[in-house]
Amino acid sequence: MKDQFKKYMWILDLLYSTGGITFKEMAEQWKRSELNDRQTILAKRTFDDYRRAIEETFDVDIICDASRGYQYRIDDARTLSKDRIKQWLLSSFAVNNILQGSRRLSERIVYEEIPSGNDYLLEVVKAMQKDRMIRVTYDNFFEKGEQHLLIAPYCVKVFRQRWYVIGKAKGQKVIWRWALDRFLRMEIAEQKFRLPKDFFAEFYFRDAFGVIVDEEECSVETIRLKVYSANHRDDYLRHLPLHSSQRETEKHKDFAIFEYRLRPAYDFCQELLSYGEEVEVLSPQYLRDYIADRLHQAVNRYK
């Protein structure tokens, strides 16, 4: 399955990067591909099978354009270029493909590793594709022991080197999150689930900084930050915003004021604390007090 997916990505990347290619040209490139270590021939029937699978998996149309010498190309490639997930997959595959062909270059590109959650990611995605529940043995840090859960996986999200599955466990009323690297065991269950019609992953996380969406405990706030120019922290935020709602309301010589609309949950507070003296919370007051208290506790640790 993994090798087959790589072939899908190879074909999709070739169609996207060339803008159009004949089957004969594609077959010739496959002969020279680093993926083709067994020197197999790309048969037309095999390509047609892959083509249908790619169209279904990536929700694209691959057409054969007779007016361009029977070139195969992606119909409306602009849609693909606007899809962040598909672009991430394509760029990751393209880099990986280059590395396979150049050992010297592979020593000069360093990836940020994601823990063992990758082991379960493909299985979770397969369960989502079939609307099947997953049976999980989970290592819970807070309850100090194993949990046995039957989860309806609504979506997956990566945040800070961790993959999370978001959904509802049997017997629970609220949507929750589970880190894949804390899965001890997992299998796709026979039970099916129905994704709620009003659940959209992008909409669900619109007011979140990371993966924490606790609507009852943490409401959406207008947050104002004073970001000091020392170490160019303000410039960093201009080029890499903390959140999609980020808006710069004031710009001065030594500092800038940024405004956000989001839930100041634990993961957002941890981000603010990581900036130390470079960022000051102006409002709301309770968040300012909380960050100040955490900083005082940190200072006391060193006394």
Side-chain angles (χ1 to χ4, degrees):
M1 179 65 182
K2 189 182 294 185
D3 290 340
Q4 206 166 12
F5 187 76
K6 286 182 179 179
K7 292 173 185 175
Y8 296 167
M9 292 300 301
W10 182 85
I11 292 172
L12 188 61
D13 177 57
L14 189 64
L15 293 172
Y16 183 74
S17 60
T18 60
I21 187 170
T22 65
F23 173 74
K24 184 178 179 180
E25 292 169 336
M26 186 183 302
E28 284 297 318
Q29 293 218 28
W30 174 245
K31 286 182 183 179
R32 301 190 297 271
S33 171
E34 293 295 329
L35 282 179
N36 190 15
D37 52 357
R38 297 181 182 178
Q39 296 297 299
T40 59
I41 295 173
L42 181 61
K44 182 63 167 60
R45 180 179 295 180
T46 302
F47 167 69
D48 288 337
D49 290 340
Y50 287 171
R51 173 186 173 185
R52 284 189 289 269
I54 291 168
E55 288 179 327
E56 182 179 345
T57 303
F58 293 94
D59 192 25
V60 296
D61 292 321
I62 299 173
I63 61 175
C64 184
D65 194 339
S67 66
R68 297 170 60 178
Y70 294 96
Q71 285 187 343
Y72 288 92
R73 62 180 177 83
I74 300 169
D75 189 29
D76 194 10
R78 289 176 299 177
T79 302
L80 184 62
S81 68
K82 293 176 183 178
D83 191 307
R84 291 180 300 164
I85 294 175
K86 293 171 186 173
Q87 274 296 303
W88 174 71
L89 281 170
L90 279 172
S91 61
S92 297
F93 175 81
V95 171
N96 187 60
N97 206 25
I98 291 171
L99 294 184
Q100 286 185 339
S102 175
R103 184 175 179 180
R104 181 177 61 85
L105 189 60
S106 69
E107 296 172 353
R108 296 164 56 191
I109 298 178
V110 182
Y111 273 102
E112 185 173 21
E113 291 187 12
I114 294 180
S116 58
N118 278 340
D119 298 342
Y120 299 103
L121 180 60
L122 187 58
E123 288 299 299
V124 172
V125 172
K126 285 164 66 176
M128 288 166 52
Q129 194 174 33
K130 299 175 182 178
D131 289 333
R132 297 262 292 275
M133 301 186 80
I134 55 175
R135 200 177 303 278
V136 174
T137 302
Y138 191 73
D139 182 15
N140 193 316
F141 290 163
F142 298 97
E143 297 185 10
K144 299 296 181 182
E146 294 183 4
Q147 281 184 300
H148 300 280
L149 305 166
L150 187 62
I151 299 170
Y154 289 1
C155 69
V156 291
K157 182 177 181 178
V158 65
F159 178 68
R160 296 288 162 80
Q161 295 180 270
R162 273 201 172 110
W163 279 104
Y164 292 84
V165 58
I166 288 84
K168 274 188 182 179
K170 187 176 181 180
Q172 294 183 355
K173 296 181 179 179
V174 297
I175 297 174
W176 200 247
R177 64 197 171 272
W178 296 271
L180 265 63
D181 61 286
R182 287 190 235 154
F183 281 21
L184 301 177
R185 288 175 293 279
M186 193 213 98
E187 64 178 9
I188 299 176
E190 290 297 322
Q191 293 95 320
K192 302 201 76 173
F193 73 94
R194 182 174 295 177
L195 186 70
K197 292 182 179 180
D198 59 350
F199 181 85
F200 300 95
E202 290 281 351
F203 184 76
Y204 178 74
F205 286 109
R206 74 191 185 284
D207 299 320
F209 169 72
V211 293
I212 301 178
V213 183
D214 293 340
E215 296 181 2
E216 294 182 1
E217 296 183 16
C218 191
S219 59
V220 178
E221 300 277 6
T222 297
I223 298 164
R224 297 179 69 243
L225 302 180
K226 186 175 184 179
V227 182
Y228 293 91
S229 301
N231 298 321
H232 299 281
R233 176 56 59 189
D234 52 348
D235 287 329
Y236 278 109
L237 290 186
R238 289 186 186 103
H239 286 85
L240 190 62
L242 277 178
H243 188 258
S244 59
S245 66
Q246 177 173 298
R247 190 166 63 93
E248 187 172 359
T249 59
E250 295 181 34
K251 186 175 182 180
H252 302 274
K253 180 182 178 181
D254 299 321
F255 68 90
I257 306 295
F258 291 93
E259 193 173 283
Y260 305 86
R261 283 289 295 174
L262 53 76
R263 299 181 195 279
Y266 178 78
D267 47 11
F268 180 68
C269 292
Q270 290 298 104
E271 179 73 10
L272 295 181
L273 288 166
S274 72
Y275 296 142
E277 77 285 355
E278 296 174 357
V279 172
E280 176 187 352
V281 177
L282 298 180
S283 64
Q285 187 63 42
Y286 79 86
L287 180 61
R288 178 182 174 89
D289 293 341
Y290 174 77
I291 296 297
D293 181 63
R294 291 288 303 276
L295 290 171
H296 284 309
Q297 290 184 47
V299 171
N300 289 334
R301 294 280 191 191
Y302 288 88
K303 287 185 179 178

